[in-house]
Coordinates of all heavy atoms in Angstrom, one line a residue:
M1 N 0.8 -1.2 0.0 CA 0.0 0.0 0.0 C 0.9 1.3 0.0 O 0.6 2.2 -0.8 CB -0.9 0.0 1.2 CG -1.8 1.2 1.4 SD -2.7 1.2 2.9 CE -1.5 1.7 4.1
H2 N 1.9 1.2 0.8 CA 2.8 2.4 0.9 C 3.5 2.6 -0.4 O 3.7 3.8 -0.8 CB 3.8 2.3 2.1 CG 3.1 2.3 3.4 ND1 2.5 3.4 3.9 CD2 2.9 1.3 4.3 CE1 1.9 3.1 5.1 NE2 2.2 1.8 5.3
V3 N 4.0 1.6 -1.0 CA 4.7 1.7 -2.3 C 3.7 2.3 -3.4 O 4.1 3.2 -4.1 CB 5.2 0.3 -2.8 CG1 5.8 0.4 -4.2 CG2 6.3 -0.1 -1.8
A4 N 2.5 1.8 -3.4 CA 1.5 2.3 -4.4 C 1.2 3.7 -4.1 O 1.0 4.5 -5.1 CB 0.2 1.4 -4.3
Q5 N 1.1 4.1 -2.8 CA 0.8 5.5 -2.5 C 1.9 6.4 -3.0 O 1.7 7.5 -3.6 CB 0.6 5.7 -1.0 CG -0.7 5.1 -0.6 CD -0.9 5.1 0.9 OE1 0.1 5.1 1.7 NE2 -2.1 5.1 1.4
Y6 N 3.1 6.0 -2.9 CA 4.3 6.7 -3.4 C 4.2 6.8 -4.9 O 4.4 7.9 -5.5 CB 5.6 6.1 -3.0 CG 6.8 6.7 -3.6 CD1 7.3 7.9 -3.1 CD2 7.5 6.1 -4.7 CE1 8.5 8.4 -3.6 CE2 8.6 6.6 -5.2 CZ 9.1 7.8 -4.7 OH 10.2 8.4 -5.3
L7 N 4.0 5.7 -5.6 CA 3.9 5.6 -7.1 C 2.8 6.4 -7.6 O 2.9 7.0 -8.7 CB 3.8 4.2 -7.5 CG 5.1 3.3 -7.3 CD1 4.8 1.9 -7.6 CD2 6.3 3.8 -8.0
A8 N 1.7 6.5 -6.9 CA 0.5 7.2 -7.3 C 0.7 8.7 -7.4 O 0.0 9.4 -8.1 CB -0.7 6.9 -6.4
K9 N 1.8 9.2 -6.8 CA 2.1 10.6 -6.8 C 2.8 11.0 -8.1 O 2.8 12.2 -8.5 CB 3.0 11.0 -5.6 CG 2.3 10.9 -4.3 CD 3.3 11.1 -3.1 CE 2.6 10.9 -1.8 NZ 3.6 11.0 -0.7
G10 N 3.3 10.0 -8.8 CA 4.0 10.3 -10.1 C 3.1 10.1 -11.3 O 1.9 9.9 -11.2
K11 N 3.8 10.1 -12.4 CA 3.1 9.8 -13.7 C 2.6 8.3 -13.7 O 3.4 7.4 -13.4 CB 4.0 10.1 -14.9 CG 3.4 9.9 -16.2 CD 4.4 10.2 -17.3 CE 3.8 9.9 -18.7 NZ 4.8 10.0 -19.7
P12 N 1.4 8.1 -14.1 CA 1.0 6.7 -14.2 C 1.8 5.9 -15.2 O 2.3 6.4 -16.2 CB -0.5 6.7 -14.7 CG -0.9 8.1 -14.5 CD 0.4 9.0 -14.5
P13 N 2.1 4.6 -14.9 CA 2.9 3.8 -15.8 C 2.2 3.6 -17.1 O 0.9 3.5 -17.1 CB 3.1 2.5 -15.1 CG 2.3 2.5 -13.9 CD 1.8 3.9 -13.7
A14 N 2.9 3.4 -18.2 CA 2.3 3.2 -19.5 C 1.6 1.8 -19.6 O 0.6 1.6 -20.2 CB 3.4 3.3 -20.6
D15 N 2.2 0.8 -18.9 CA 1.6 -0.5 -18.8 C 0.4 -0.5 -17.9 O 0.5 -0.2 -16.7 CB 2.7 -1.5 -18.3 CG 2.3 -2.9 -18.4 OD1 1.1 -3.2 -18.2 OD2 3.1 -3.8 -18.7
Q16 N -0.7 -0.8 -18.5 CA -2.0 -0.7 -17.8 C -2.1 -1.6 -16.6 O -2.7 -1.4 -15.6 CB -3.2 -1.0 -18.7 CG -4.5 -0.7 -18.1 CD -4.7 0.8 -17.7 OE1 -4.3 1.7 -18.4 NE2 -5.2 1.0 -16.5
R17 N -1.4 -2.8 -16.7 CA -1.4 -3.7 -15.6 C -0.8 -3.1 -14.3 O -1.4 -3.3 -13.2 CB -0.5 -5.0 -15.9 CG -1.1 -5.8 -17.0 CD -0.2 -6.9 -17.4 NE 1.1 -6.2 -17.9 CZ 2.1 -6.9 -18.3 NH1 2.2 -8.2 -18.2 NH2 3.2 -6.3 -18.8
Y18 N 0.2 -2.3 -14.4 CA 0.8 -1.6 -13.3 C 0.0 -0.5 -12.8 O -0.1 -0.2 -11.6 CB 2.3 -1.3 -13.6 CG 3.1 -2.5 -13.9 CD1 3.6 -2.7 -15.2 CD2 3.3 -3.5 -12.9 CE1 4.3 -3.8 -15.5 CE2 4.1 -4.6 -13.2 CZ 4.5 -4.8 -14.5 OH 5.2 -5.9 -14.8
A19 N -0.6 0.2 -13.8 CA -1.5 1.3 -13.4 C -2.7 0.8 -12.6 O -3.1 1.4 -11.6 CB -1.9 2.1 -14.7
D20 N -3.2 -0.3 -13.1 CA -4.3 -1.0 -12.3 C -3.9 -1.4 -11.0 O -4.7 -1.3 -10.0 CB -4.9 -2.2 -13.1 CG -5.6 -1.7 -14.4 OD1 -5.9 -0.5 -14.6 OD2 -5.8 -2.6 -15.2
W21 N -2.7 -1.9 -10.8 CA -2.2 -2.4 -9.5 C -2.2 -1.2 -8.6 O -2.6 -1.3 -7.4 CB -0.8 -3.0 -9.7 CG -0.2 -3.4 -8.3 CD1 -0.5 -4.5 -7.6 CD2 0.7 -2.6 -7.6 NE1 0.3 -4.4 -6.4 CE2 1.0 -3.3 -6.4 CE3 1.3 -1.3 -7.8 CZ2 1.8 -2.8 -5.4 CZ3 2.1 -0.8 -6.8 CH2 2.4 -1.6 -5.6
I22 N -1.6 -0.1 -9.0 CA -1.5 1.1 -8.2 C -2.9 1.6 -7.8 O -3.2 1.9 -6.6 CB -0.7 2.2 -8.9 CG1 0.7 1.8 -9.1 CG2 -0.8 3.6 -8.2 CD1 1.5 2.7 -10.1
T23 N -3.8 1.7 -8.8 CA -5.2 2.1 -8.5 C -5.8 1.2 -7.4 O -6.5 1.7 -6.5 CB -6.0 2.1 -9.8 OG1 -5.4 3.0 -10.7 CG2 -7.5 2.5 -9.5
Q24 N -5.6 -0.1 -7.5 CA -6.2 -1.0 -6.5 C -5.6 -0.8 -5.2 O -6.4 -0.7 -4.2 CB -6.0 -2.5 -7.0 CG -6.5 -3.5 -6.0 CD -6.2 -4.9 -6.3 OE1 -5.6 -5.2 -7.3 NE2 -6.6 -5.8 -5.5
Y25 N -4.3 -0.7 -5.1 CA -3.7 -0.6 -3.8 C -3.8 0.8 -3.1 O -3.6 0.9 -1.9 CB -2.2 -0.9 -3.9 CG -1.9 -2.4 -3.8 CD1 -2.5 -3.3 -4.7 CD2 -1.0 -2.9 -2.9 CE1 -2.3 -4.7 -4.6 CE2 -0.7 -4.3 -2.8 CZ -1.4 -5.1 -3.7 OH -1.1 -6.5 -3.6
V26 N -4.3 1.8 -3.8 CA -4.5 3.1 -3.2 C -6.0 3.3 -3.0 O -6.4 4.3 -2.4 CB -3.9 4.3 -3.9 CG1 -2.4 4.1 -4.0 CG2 -4.5 4.4 -5.3
S27 N -6.8 2.3 -3.4 CA -8.3 2.5 -3.2 C -8.7 2.6 -1.8 O -8.0 2.0 -0.9 CB -9.0 1.3 -3.9 OG -8.9 0.2 -3.2
P28 N -9.7 3.3 -1.4 CA -10.1 3.4 0.0 C -10.4 2.0 0.6 O -10.1 1.8 1.8 CB -11.4 4.2 -0.1 CG -11.3 5.0 -1.4 CD -10.6 4.1 -2.3
E29 N -10.9 1.1 -0.2 CA -11.2 -0.2 0.4 C -9.9 -1.0 0.7 O -9.9 -1.6 1.8 CB -12.0 -1.1 -0.6 CG -13.4 -0.5 -1.0 CD -13.4 0.6 -2.1 OE1 -12.3 0.8 -2.6 OE2 -14.4 1.2 -2.3
F30 N -8.9 -0.9 -0.1 CA -7.7 -1.6 0.1 C -7.0 -1.0 1.3 O -6.4 -1.6 2.2 CB -6.8 -1.6 -1.1 CG -5.6 -2.5 -1.0 CD1 -5.7 -3.8 -1.5 CD2 -4.4 -2.1 -0.4 CE1 -4.7 -4.7 -1.3 CE2 -3.4 -3.0 -0.2 CZ -3.5 -4.3 -0.7
V31 N -6.9 0.4 1.3 CA -6.3 1.1 2.5 C -7.0 0.7 3.8 O -6.3 0.5 4.8 CB -6.3 2.6 2.2 CG1 -5.8 3.4 3.4 CG2 -5.4 3.0 1.0
Q32 N -8.3 0.7 3.8 CA -9.0 0.4 5.0 C -8.7 -1.1 5.4 O -8.5 -1.3 6.6 CB -10.5 0.5 4.7 CG -11.4 0.1 6.0 CD -12.9 0.2 5.7 OE1 -13.3 0.4 4.6 NE2 -13.7 0.2 6.7
A33 N -8.6 -2.0 4.5 CA -8.3 -3.4 4.9 C -6.9 -3.5 5.4 O -6.6 -4.2 6.4 CB -8.5 -4.3 3.6
A34 N -5.9 -2.8 4.8 CA -4.6 -2.8 5.2 C -4.4 -2.2 6.6 O -3.7 -2.7 7.5 CB -3.7 -2.1 4.2
E35 N -5.1 -1.1 6.9 CA -5.1 -0.5 8.2 C -5.7 -1.4 9.2 O -5.2 -1.5 10.4 CB -5.7 0.9 8.1 CG -5.0 1.9 7.3 CD -3.6 2.2 7.9 OE1 -3.4 2.1 9.1 OE2 -2.7 2.6 7.1
W36 N -6.8 -2.1 8.9 CA -7.4 -3.0 9.8 C -6.4 -4.1 10.2 O -6.3 -4.5 11.3 CB -8.7 -3.6 9.3 CG -9.3 -4.6 10.2 CD1 -10.1 -4.3 11.3 CD2 -9.1 -6.0 10.2 NE1 -10.4 -5.5 11.9 CE2 -9.8 -6.5 11.3 CE3 -8.4 -6.8 9.3 CZ2 -9.9 -7.9 11.5 CZ3 -8.5 -8.2 9.6 CH2 -9.2 -8.7 10.7
L37 N -5.8 -4.7 9.2 CA -4.8 -5.8 9.4 C -3.6 -5.3 10.3 O -3.2 -6.0 11.2 CB -4.3 -6.3 8.1 CG -5.3 -7.2 7.3 CD1 -4.8 -7.4 5.9 CD2 -5.6 -8.4 8.0
K38 N -3.2 -4.1 10.0 CA -2.1 -3.6 10.8 C -2.5 -3.4 12.3 O -1.8 -3.8 13.2 CB -1.6 -2.2 10.3 CG -0.4 -1.6 11.0 CD 0.1 -0.4 10.4 CE -0.8 0.8 10.6 NZ -0.2 2.0 10.1
T39 N -3.7 -2.9 12.5 CA -4.2 -2.7 13.8 C -4.4 -4.0 14.5 O -4.1 -4.2 15.7 CB -5.6 -1.9 13.8 OG1 -5.3 -0.6 13.2 CG2 -6.2 -1.8 15.2
E40 N -4.9 -5.0 13.8 CA -5.2 -6.3 14.4 C -3.8 -7.0 14.7 O -3.7 -7.6 15.8 CB -5.9 -7.2 13.4 CG -6.4 -8.5 13.9 CD -7.4 -8.5 15.1 OE1 -7.9 -7.4 15.4 OE2 -7.6 -9.6 15.6
M41 N -2.8 -6.9 13.9 CA -1.5 -7.5 14.2 C -0.9 -6.8 15.4 O -0.4 -7.5 16.3 CB -0.6 -7.3 13.0 CG 0.7 -8.0 13.2 SD 0.5 -9.7 13.4 CE 2.2 -10.2 13.8
N42 N -1.0 -5.5 15.5 CA -0.5 -4.8 16.7 C -1.3 -5.2 18.0 O -0.6 -5.4 19.0 CB -0.6 -3.3 16.5 CG 0.4 -2.7 15.5 OD1 1.4 -3.4 15.3 ND2 0.1 -1.6 14.9
R43 N -2.6 -5.4 17.9 CA -3.3 -5.9 19.0 C -2.9 -7.3 19.4 O -2.7 -7.5 20.6 CB -4.8 -5.9 18.6 CG -5.7 -6.3 19.8 CD -7.2 -6.5 19.4 NE -7.4 -7.7 18.5 CZ -7.4 -9.0 19.0 NH1 -7.3 -9.3 20.2 NH2 -7.7 -9.9 18.1
L44 N -2.7 -8.2 18.5 CA -2.3 -9.5 18.8 C -0.9 -9.6 19.4 O -0.5 -10.5 20.1 CB -2.4 -10.4 17.6 CG -3.8 -10.7 17.1 CD1 -3.8 -11.3 15.7 CD2 -4.6 -11.5 18.1
A45 N 0.0 -8.6 19.0 CA 1.4 -8.6 19.5 C 1.5 -7.9 20.8 O 2.6 -8.0 21.4 CB 2.2 -7.9 18.4
E46 N 0.5 -7.2 21.3 CA 0.6 -6.6 22.6 C 0.9 -7.6 23.7 O 0.3 -8.7 23.8 CB -0.8 -5.9 23.0 CG -1.0 -4.6 22.2 CD -2.4 -4.0 22.6 OE1 -3.0 -4.4 23.6 OE2 -2.8 -3.1 21.9
G47 N 1.8 -7.3 24.5 CA 2.2 -8.2 25.6 C 3.1 -9.3 25.2 O 3.4 -10.2 26.0
A48 N 3.5 -9.4 23.9 CA 4.4 -10.4 23.5 C 5.7 -10.3 24.1 O 6.2 -9.2 24.4 CB 4.5 -10.4 22.0
T49 N 6.3 -11.4 24.4 CA 7.7 -11.4 25.0 C 8.7 -10.9 23.9 O 8.4 -10.9 22.7 CB 8.1 -12.8 25.4 OG1 8.2 -13.6 24.2 CG2 7.2 -13.4 26.4
P50 N 9.8 -10.4 24.3 CA 10.8 -9.9 23.3 C 11.2 -11.0 22.3 O 11.3 -10.8 21.1 CB 12.0 -9.6 24.2 CG 11.4 -9.1 25.5 CD 10.3 -10.1 25.7
A51 N 11.2 -12.3 22.8 CA 11.6 -13.4 21.9 C 10.5 -13.6 20.8 O 10.7 -13.8 19.6 CB 11.8 -14.7 22.6
K52 N 9.2 -13.5 21.3 CA 8.1 -13.6 20.3 C 8.1 -12.4 19.4 O 7.8 -12.6 18.2 CB 6.8 -13.7 21.1 CG 5.6 -14.0 20.1 CD 4.4 -14.4 20.8 CE 3.3 -14.8 19.8 NZ 2.1 -15.3 20.4
R53 N 8.4 -11.2 19.8 CA 8.4 -10.1 18.9 C 9.5 -10.3 17.9 O 9.3 -9.9 16.7 CB 8.7 -8.8 19.7 CG 7.4 -8.3 20.4 CD 7.8 -6.9 21.1 NE 6.6 -6.4 21.7 CZ 5.6 -5.7 21.1 NH1 5.8 -5.4 19.8 NH2 4.6 -5.2 21.7
E54 N 10.6 -10.8 18.3 CA 11.7 -11.0 17.3 C 11.2 -12.1 16.3 O 11.5 -11.9 15.1 CB 13.0 -11.5 18.0 CG 13.8 -10.4 18.6 CD 14.3 -9.4 17.5 OE1 14.8 -9.8 16.5 OE2 14.1 -8.2 17.7
R55 N 10.5 -13.1 16.7 CA 10.0 -14.1 15.8 C 9.0 -13.5 14.8 O 9.0 -13.8 13.6 CB 9.4 -15.2 16.6 CG 8.8 -16.3 15.8 CD 9.8 -17.2 15.1 NE 9.1 -18.3 14.4 CZ 9.4 -18.6 13.1 NH1 10.3 -17.9 12.5 NH2 8.7 -19.5 12.5
L56 N 8.1 -12.7 15.3 CA 7.1 -12.0 14.5 C 7.8 -11.1 13.5 O 7.4 -11.1 12.3 CB 6.1 -11.2 15.3 CG 5.2 -12.0 16.2 CD1 4.4 -11.1 17.1 CD2 4.3 -12.9 15.3
L57 N 8.8 -10.4 13.9 CA 9.6 -9.5 12.9 C 10.2 -10.4 11.9 O 10.2 -10.0 10.7 CB 10.6 -8.7 13.7 CG 10.1 -7.5 14.5 CD1 11.2 -6.9 15.3 CD2 9.5 -6.5 13.6
G58 N 10.8 -11.5 12.2 CA 11.4 -12.4 11.3 C 10.4 -12.9 10.2 O 10.7 -12.9 9.0
I59 N 9.2 -13.3 10.7 CA 8.1 -13.7 9.8 C 7.7 -12.6 8.9 O 7.6 -12.8 7.7 CB 6.9 -14.2 10.6 CG1 7.3 -15.5 11.4 CG2 5.7 -14.4 9.7 CD1 6.3 -16.0 12.4
F60 N 7.6 -11.4 9.4 CA 7.3 -10.3 8.5 C 8.3 -10.0 7.5 O 8.0 -9.8 6.3 CB 7.1 -9.0 9.4 CG 6.8 -7.8 8.5 CD1 5.6 -7.6 8.0 CD2 7.8 -6.9 8.3 CE1 5.3 -6.4 7.2 CE2 7.6 -5.8 7.5 CZ 6.4 -5.5 7.0
E61 N 9.6 -10.1 7.9 CA 10.7 -9.9 6.9 C 10.7 -10.9 5.8 O 10.8 -10.6 4.6 CB 12.0 -9.8 7.6 CG 12.2 -8.6 8.4 CD 13.4 -8.6 9.3 OE1 14.1 -9.6 9.4 OE2 13.7 -7.6 10.0
V62 N 10.5 -12.2 6.2 CA 10.5 -13.2 5.1 C 9.3 -13.1 4.2 O 9.4 -13.2 3.0 CB 10.5 -14.6 5.8 CG1 10.2 -15.7 4.8 CG2 11.8 -14.9 6.5
S63 N 8.1 -12.7 4.8 CA 6.9 -12.6 3.9 C 7.1 -11.4 3.0 O 6.7 -11.4 1.8 CB 5.7 -12.4 4.8 OG 5.7 -11.2 5.5
S64 N 7.8 -10.3 3.5 CA 8.1 -9.2 2.6 C 9.0 -9.6 1.5 O 8.9 -9.1 0.3 CB 8.7 -8.0 3.4 OG 7.8 -7.6 4.4
Q65 N 10.0 -10.4 1.8 CA 10.9 -10.9 0.7 C 10.2 -11.7 -0.3 O 10.4 -11.6 -1.5 CB 12.0 -11.7 1.3 CG 13.0 -10.8 2.1 CD 14.0 -11.6 2.9 OE1 14.0 -12.8 2.9 NE2 14.8 -10.9 3.7
Y66 N 9.2 -12.6 0.1 CA 8.4 -13.4 -0.8 C 7.6 -12.5 -1.7 O 7.4 -12.7 -2.9 CB 7.6 -14.4 -0.1 CG 8.3 -15.7 0.1 CD1 8.7 -16.1 1.4 CD2 8.7 -16.5 -0.9 CE1 9.4 -17.3 1.6 CE2 9.4 -17.7 -0.7 CZ 9.7 -18.1 0.6 OH 10.4 -19.2 0.8
E67 N 7.0 -11.4 -1.1 CA 6.2 -10.5 -1.9 C 7.1 -9.8 -2.9 O 6.7 -9.7 -4.1 CB 5.6 -9.4 -0.9 CG 4.8 -8.3 -1.6 CD 3.4 -8.8 -1.9 OE1 3.0 -9.9 -1.6 OE2 2.7 -7.9 -2.5
W68 N 8.3 -9.4 -2.6 CA 9.2 -8.8 -3.5 C 9.5 -9.7 -4.6 O 9.5 -9.4 -5.8 CB 10.4 -8.3 -2.8 CG 11.4 -7.7 -3.8 CD1 11.4 -6.5 -4.4 CD2 12.6 -8.4 -4.3 NE1 12.5 -6.4 -5.2 CE2 13.2 -7.6 -5.2 CE3 13.2 -9.7 -4.0 CZ2 14.4 -7.9 -5.8 CZ3 14.3 -10.0 -4.6 CH2 14.9 -9.1 -5.5
L69 N 9.8 -11.0 -4.3 CA 10.2 -12.0 -5.3 C 9.0 -12.3 -6.2 O 9.2 -12.5 -7.4 CB 10.6 -13.3 -4.6 CG 12.0 -13.2 -3.9 CD1 12.2 -14.5 -3.1 CD2 13.1 -13.0 -5.0
F70 N 7.8 -12.3 -5.7 CA 6.6 -12.5 -6.5 C 6.5 -11.4 -7.6 O 6.4 -11.7 -8.8 CB 5.4 -12.5 -5.7 CG 4.1 -12.5 -6.5 CD1 3.6 -13.6 -7.1 CD2 3.4 -11.3 -6.7 CE1 2.5 -13.5 -7.9 CE2 2.2 -11.2 -7.4 CZ 1.8 -12.4 -8.1
W71 N 6.6 -10.1 -7.2 CA 6.5 -9.0 -8.2 C 7.7 -9.0 -9.1 O 7.6 -8.7 -10.3 CB 6.3 -7.7 -7.4 CG 4.9 -7.6 -6.8 CD1 4.6 -7.7 -5.5 CD2 3.7 -7.6 -7.6 NE1 3.2 -7.7 -5.4 CE2 2.7 -7.6 -6.6 CE3 3.4 -7.5 -8.9 CZ2 1.3 -7.5 -7.0 CZ3 2.0 -7.4 -9.3 CH2 1.0 -7.5 -8.3
E72 N 8.9 -9.3 -8.6 CA 10.1 -9.4 -9.5 C 9.9 -10.5 -10.5 O 10.2 -10.3 -11.7 CB 11.3 -9.6 -8.6 CG 12.6 -9.6 -9.4 CD 13.0 -8.2 -9.8 OE1 12.4 -7.2 -9.4 OE2 14.0 -8.1 -10.5
M73 N 9.4 -11.6 -10.1 CA 9.1 -12.7 -11.1 C 8.1 -12.2 -12.1 O 8.3 -12.5 -13.3 CB 8.5 -13.9 -10.3 CG 8.1 -15.0 -11.2 SD 7.0 -16.2 -10.3 CE 5.5 -15.3 -10.2
C74 N 7.1 -11.5 -11.7 CA 6.1 -11.0 -12.7 C 6.7 -10.0 -13.7 O 6.5 -10.0 -14.9 CB 4.9 -10.4 -12.0 SG 3.9 -11.5 -11.0
W75 N 7.6 -9.1 -13.1 CA 8.2 -8.1 -13.9 C 9.1 -8.7 -15.0 O 9.1 -8.3 -16.1 CB 9.0 -7.2 -13.0 CG 9.8 -6.1 -13.7 CD1 11.1 -6.1 -14.0 CD2 9.2 -4.9 -14.2 NE1 11.4 -4.9 -14.6 CE2 10.3 -4.2 -14.8 CE3 8.0 -4.3 -14.2 CZ2 10.1 -2.9 -15.4 CZ3 7.8 -3.1 -14.8 CH2 8.9 -2.4 -15.4
K76 N 9.8 -9.8 -14.6 CA 10.8 -10.4 -15.5 C 10.1 -11.5 -16.4 O 10.7 -12.0 -17.4 CB 11.9 -11.1 -14.7 CG 12.8 -10.2 -14.0 CD 13.9 -10.9 -13.3 CE 14.9 -10.0 -12.7 NZ 15.9 -10.8 -11.9
G77 N 8.9 -11.8 -16.1 CA 8.2 -12.9 -16.8 C 8.7 -14.3 -16.5 O 8.5 -15.2 -17.3
D78 N 9.2 -14.4 -15.3 CA 9.7 -15.7 -14.9 C 8.6 -16.6 -14.4 O 7.5 -16.2 -14.1 CB 10.7 -15.6 -13.7 CG 12.0 -14.9 -14.1 OD1 12.3 -14.9 -15.4 OD2 12.7 -14.3 -13.3
A79 N 8.9 -17.9 -14.3 CA 8.0 -18.9 -13.6 C 8.3 -18.9 -12.1 O 9.4 -18.7 -11.7 CB 8.1 -20.2 -14.3
W80 N 7.3 -19.3 -11.3 CA 7.6 -19.5 -9.9 C 8.6 -20.6 -9.7 O 8.4 -21.7 -10.1 CB 6.3 -19.8 -9.2 CG 6.4 -19.8 -7.7 CD1 6.3 -20.9 -6.9 CD2 6.7 -18.7 -6.8 NE1 6.5 -20.5 -5.6 CE2 6.8 -19.2 -5.5 CE3 7.0 -17.4 -7.0 CZ2 7.1 -18.4 -4.4 CZ3 7.3 -16.6 -5.9 CH2 7.3 -17.1 -4.6
P81 N 9.8 -20.3 -9.0 CA 10.9 -21.2 -9.0 C 10.7 -22.3 -7.9 O 11.5 -23.3 -7.9 CB 12.1 -20.4 -8.6 CG 11.5 -19.2 -7.9 CD 10.1 -19.0 -8.5
I82 N 9.7 -22.2 -7.1 CA 9.6 -23.2 -6.0 C 8.4 -24.1 -6.3 O 7.3 -23.7 -6.5 CB 9.3 -22.5 -4.6 CG1 10.5 -21.6 -4.3 CG2 9.0 -23.5 -3.5 CD1 10.2 -20.7 -3.1
L83 N 8.7 -25.4 -6.4 CA 7.7 -26.4 -6.6 C 7.5 -27.2 -5.3 O 8.4 -27.8 -4.8 CB 8.1 -27.4 -7.7 CG 8.3 -26.7 -9.1 CD1 8.8 -27.7 -10.1 CD2 7.1 -26.1 -9.6
L84 N 6.3 -27.1 -4.8 CA 5.9 -27.8 -3.5 C 5.3 -29.1 -3.8 O 4.6 -29.3 -4.8 CB 5.0 -26.9 -2.6 CG 5.6 -25.6 -2.3 CD1 4.6 -24.7 -1.5 CD2 6.8 -25.7 -1.4
E85 N 5.4 -30.0 -2.8 CA 4.7 -31.3 -2.9 C 3.2 -31.0 -2.6 O 2.9 -30.0 -2.0 CB 5.3 -32.2 -1.8 CG 6.7 -32.6 -2.1 CD 6.9 -33.6 -3.3 OE1 6.0 -34.4 -3.5 OE2 7.9 -33.4 -4.0
P86 N 2.4 -32.0 -3.0 CA 1.0 -31.8 -2.6 C 0.8 -31.6 -1.1 O 1.5 -32.2 -0.3 CB 0.3 -33.1 -3.1 CG 1.3 -33.6 -4.1 CD 2.7 -33.2 -3.7
R87 N -0.3 -30.9 -0.7 CA -0.5 -30.6 0.7 C -0.7 -31.9 1.5 O -0.3 -31.8 2.7 CB -1.8 -29.8 0.8 CG -1.6 -28.3 0.3 CD -2.9 -27.5 0.5 NE -3.1 -27.2 1.9 CZ -2.6 -26.2 2.6 NH1 -1.7 -25.4 2.0 NH2 -2.9 -25.9 3.8
A88 N -1.1 -32.9 0.9 CA -1.3 -34.2 1.7 C 0.0 -34.7 2.3 O -0.1 -35.4 3.3 CB -1.9 -35.2 0.8
R89 N 1.1 -34.2 1.8 CA 2.4 -34.7 2.3 C 2.8 -33.9 3.6 O 3.8 -34.3 4.2 CB 3.4 -34.7 1.3 CG 3.1 -35.6 0.1 CD 4.2 -35.8 -0.8 NE 5.5 -36.0 -0.2 CZ 6.1 -37.2 0.0 NH1 5.5 -38.3 -0.4 NH2 7.3 -37.3 0.6
F90 N 2.1 -32.8 3.9 CA 2.6 -32.0 5.0 C 2.0 -32.5 6.3 O 1.0 -32.6 6.7 CB 2.3 -30.5 4.8 CG 3.1 -29.9 3.7 CD1 2.7 -29.8 2.4 CD2 4.4 -29.5 4.1 CE1 3.5 -29.2 1.5 CE2 5.2 -29.0 3.1 CZ 4.8 -28.8 1.8

């Protein structure tokens, strides 16, 4: 959401797919959902031990890296490089 808000201040991209992405991520509905999720995560983290906070930060960082890799893959036209076994094996 924050990246889209920054990008929305500039000239819209020529590629309509990216322009649509920016429009979606700055929409009032998306912003409201993102703010609710942030508030809920903060609520759930209240009173967490320092060790649990570190674990939560680690999870957030890894999920952010996956998000970046997803969009980088789309930008380059790559296929998803991770092939998982069927869920039944977990």
Side-chain angles (χ1 to χ4, degrees):
M1 177 186 78
H2 295 290
V3 172
Q5 288 172 334
Y6 173 79
L7 293 172
K9 294 176 185 174
K11 181 181 175 187
D15 190 319
Q16 190 59 45
R17 295 172 297 176
Y18 300 111
D20 290 345
W21 175 84
I22 292 168
T23 300
Q24 177 185 359
Y25 274 55
V26 299
S27 71
E29 297 84 6
F30 193 93
V31 170
Q32 180 182 11
E35 291 297 330
W36 177 83
L37 287 169
K38 182 174 74 172
T39 300
E40 187 65 7
M41 185 61 186
N42 287 336
R43 183 187 68 78
L44 293 170
E46 285 178 12
T49 65
K52 185 167 185 175
R53 283 185 176 274
E54 279 301 309
R55 178 73 177 128
L56 292 172
L57 286 170
I59 291 168
F60 175 78
E61 289 171 356
V62 168
S63 67
S64 296
Q65 291 171 2
Y66 274 110
E67 178 80 3
W68 175 76
L69 288 172
F70 169 78
W71 289 109
E72 185 71 7
M73 176 195 73
C74 293
W75 179 258
K76 291 180 176 179
D78 295 337
W80 186 247
I82 300 172
L83 300 176
L84 300 174
E85 294 291 323
R87 288 182 73 83
R89 297 194 42 103
F90 288 99

